[in-house]
Amino acid sequence: DIYASGGTQCVAAHSTVRALYGSYNGPLYQVRRKSDNKTLDIGVLKPGGVANSAAQDSFLSGTTGTISIIYDQSPKGNNLTVAPLGQRGTADVEANATALTLKVGGHAVYAVYVNAGVGYRNDKTSGVATGDQPEGLYMVTSGKHVNSGCCFDYGNAETNNRDNGNGTMEAIYMGTCSNWGHGSGSGPWVMADLENGLYAGGALVNNNNTSVPYDYVTAIVKGKAGGFSIKGGNAQNGNLTTMYDGARPTKSGYDPMKKEGAIILGIGGDNSNSAVGTFFEGAMTSGYPSDTTEDAVQATIVAAGYGSNGAMISYRSNNTTWGFPYSVRYNSSRGNVVVSYTFQNARRMSMNIIDLSGRRIATIVNGIVSAGPHEAVWDTRRIPAGIYACRIAIDGWDEWAGKIIIGK
């Protein structure tokens, strides 16, 4: 939804963890039961919600299973299934469906846990960038389950499962491989796999590309005619860091790009499949997303609550406006956001909650407020997870007091 509002709609959106559209109510993935080879689609608990992992638990009770399809939530239908044999590596296999469980917003869900030999692909896609067309890619992955093998990728690759030369793919890489390029520290690094090179920046080696050894990592690569960008950050808190934003590599073949439009996960474009990694969610866009759009995507990832045990609120501000102190807390038992503040003198005040589109969704204070301590309460029980701004006006002076991130 955020990418679309920024003019760069998704052409692929994959996750076994949660819906990536606010209204998505279809299947996230399919599991295959080992005992009888039967399959079951795993959906969401509610539209826009997390995966119904209880359905998987029941279906696989007493046996094991694999993830047979990762459904595309975008209208393009670019589903991922086990990758066929390619130029390199062995025949790929499906990921163990129960290898890794985690909590997102307090709900237990399952990830795509990639060991060497696991890989997914779609060589006949719809809407994915080809040639030198612009695109954006992001994924939430692990900075702990990594190795130096080639190549734990998610993104755009060749359609014939072979190495077709420099510039024929554009994918996010996560890991510690330094055979081609690397960043600073010991890794892991977010890099761009552009075929025949893992690029940490415009050159193979880029010391501004810092290690991201977080439990949950937001990884971004985006490309356009003449340039590309790499970003990374902690998917549990904080902002994105731009590791590189500049021209394409000067080595022959990368400008212009020759992207072919297949989608891969967990492998390289030629099916190199010796890497390990973890995939929680990811998407690909048509067009080059703005930094503002990507910042909003990161905020909603943080709000989703990776690794959290329940609803949470994150509030960022300087905690002072017009010289009076205020604070924000979350009342979990009532599902309320409480803004506490104190006036030395009576003032005329309004306090409104604004969503990302600029729409006012709640007014929690409006009128004359007496001197002394006060609390303004916002009932968030029916409010979707996301980013909201608290806009305060006192005696006719307006200011954006900060942003509130709600995760459920």
Side-chain angles (χ1 to χ4, degrees):
D1 299 322
I2 293 171
Y3 280 120
S5 67
T8 51
Q9 68 178 1
C10 288
V11 294
H14 302 107
S15 178
T16 59
V17 166
R18 66 184 185 121
L20 302 180
Y21 289 81
S23 60
Y24 186 78
N25 197 29
L28 299 180
Y29 63 103
Q30 181 187 89
V31 291
R32 186 191 312 277
R33 192 162 55 194
K34 184 177 181 180
S35 59
D36 58 8
N37 211 38
K38 289 185 177 180
T39 60
L40 178 72
D41 286 347
I42 305 300
V44 292
L45 291 175
K46 63 180 181 180
V50 298
N52 181 7
S53 58
Q56 172 177 316
D57 294 339
S58 177
F59 183 67
L60 298 181
S61 178
T63 185
T64 60
T66 57
I67 296 174
S68 46
I69 301 174
I70 305 169
Y71 289 106
D72 178 13
Q73 300 175 36
S74 88
K76 298 298 184 180
N78 292 319
N79 303 331
L80 299 176
T81 56
V82 67
L85 184 65
Q87 180 179 350
R88 297 185 183 276
T90 58
D92 293 284
V93 297
E94 298 169 351
N96 184 336
T98 58
L100 179 63
T101 183
L102 66 146
K103 285 193 174 181
V104 173
H107 298 277
V109 292
Y110 292 98
V112 184
Y113 195 78
V114 173
N115 285 319
V118 171
Y120 293 84
R121 195 175 195 121
N122 186 333
D123 285 332
K124 296 180 179 180
T125 61
S126 173
V128 179
T130 57
D132 211 23
Q133 293 176 337
E135 67 178 347
L137 320 167
Y138 96 88
M139 72 169 166
V140 178
T141 182
S142 169
K144 304 295 187 183
H145 180 225
V146 296
N147 72 356
S148 60
C150 178
C151 291
F152 182 74
D153 288 349
Y154 173 68
N156 194 321
E158 296 93 338
T159 56
N160 64 354
N161 316 322
R162 301 184 63 83
D163 177 351
N164 291 335
N166 297 355
T168 54
M169 61 181 293
E170 183 170 66
I172 305 167
Y173 166 81
M174 167 59 73
T176 59
C177 182
S178 58
N179 294 347
W180 294 277
H182 59 81
S184 60
S186 58
W189 305 285
V190 180
M191 294 193 283
D193 190 341
L194 305 179
E195 191 55 279
N196 297 319
L198 296 177
Y199 281 85
L204 286 169
V205 178
N206 173 19
N207 288 326
N208 291 323
N209 190 320
T210 54
S211 302
V212 284
Y214 309 120
D215 291 333
Y216 304 97
V217 176
T218 304
I220 288 178
V221 169
K222 58 181 176 180
K224 61 183 178 180
F228 73 113
S229 177
I230 302 171
K231 297 181 182 182
N234 190 332
Q236 291 182 297
N237 59 71
N239 301 318
L240 296 168
T241 297
T242 299
M243 313 293 196
Y244 177 77
D245 186 7
R248 292 286 186 182
T250 57
K251 190 175 181 179
S252 176
Y254 295 112
D255 191 9
M257 293 286 283
K258 300 175 285 293
K259 292 174 278 192
E260 297 190 12
I263 301 175
I264 54 172
L265 172 59
I267 54 176
D270 60 2
N271 195 50
S272 296
N273 59 1
S274 62
V276 304
T278 307
F279 181 83
F280 302 109
E281 64 177 77
M284 303 172 64
T285 71
S286 172
Y288 193 81
S290 69
D291 292 339
T292 299
T293 294
E294 289 167 339
D295 288 344
V297 169
Q298 165 68 357
T300 57
I301 291 169
V302 171
Y306 273 92
S308 72
N309 290 319
M312 62 97 178
I313 174 172
S314 173
Y315 184 81
R316 296 183 179 87
S317 73
N318 60 9
N319 283 333
T320 179
T321 300
W322 305 282
F324 77 88
Y326 62 92
S327 63
V328 180
R329 72 178 190 275
Y330 183 74
N331 186 330
S332 59
S333 64
R334 296 187 177 182
N336 291 334
V337 170
V338 181
V339 182
S340 301
Y341 59 98
T342 301
F343 279 155
Q344 298 300 316
N345 302 293
R347 312 287 289 271
R348 177 177 294 278
M349 179 183 188
S350 67
M351 188 179 296
N352 295 300
I353 306 298
I354 311 296
D355 67 12
L356 279 176
S357 69
R359 180 173 61 96
R360 183 179 65 191
I361 63 170
T363 298
I364 56 178
V365 179
N366 188 26
I368 301 297
V369 178
S370 62
H374 299 275
E375 289 188 342
V377 178
W378 177 30
D379 184 352
T380 62
R381 288 173 296 178
R382 294 181 175 84
I383 299 297
I387 311 169
Y388 302 88
C390 182
R391 187 173 190 176
I392 299 173
I394 298 177
D395 296 337
W397 292 89
D398 273 342
E399 181 172 315
W400 295 100
K403 65 182 177 182
I404 297 173
I405 304 174
I406 300 293
K408 297 184 178 181

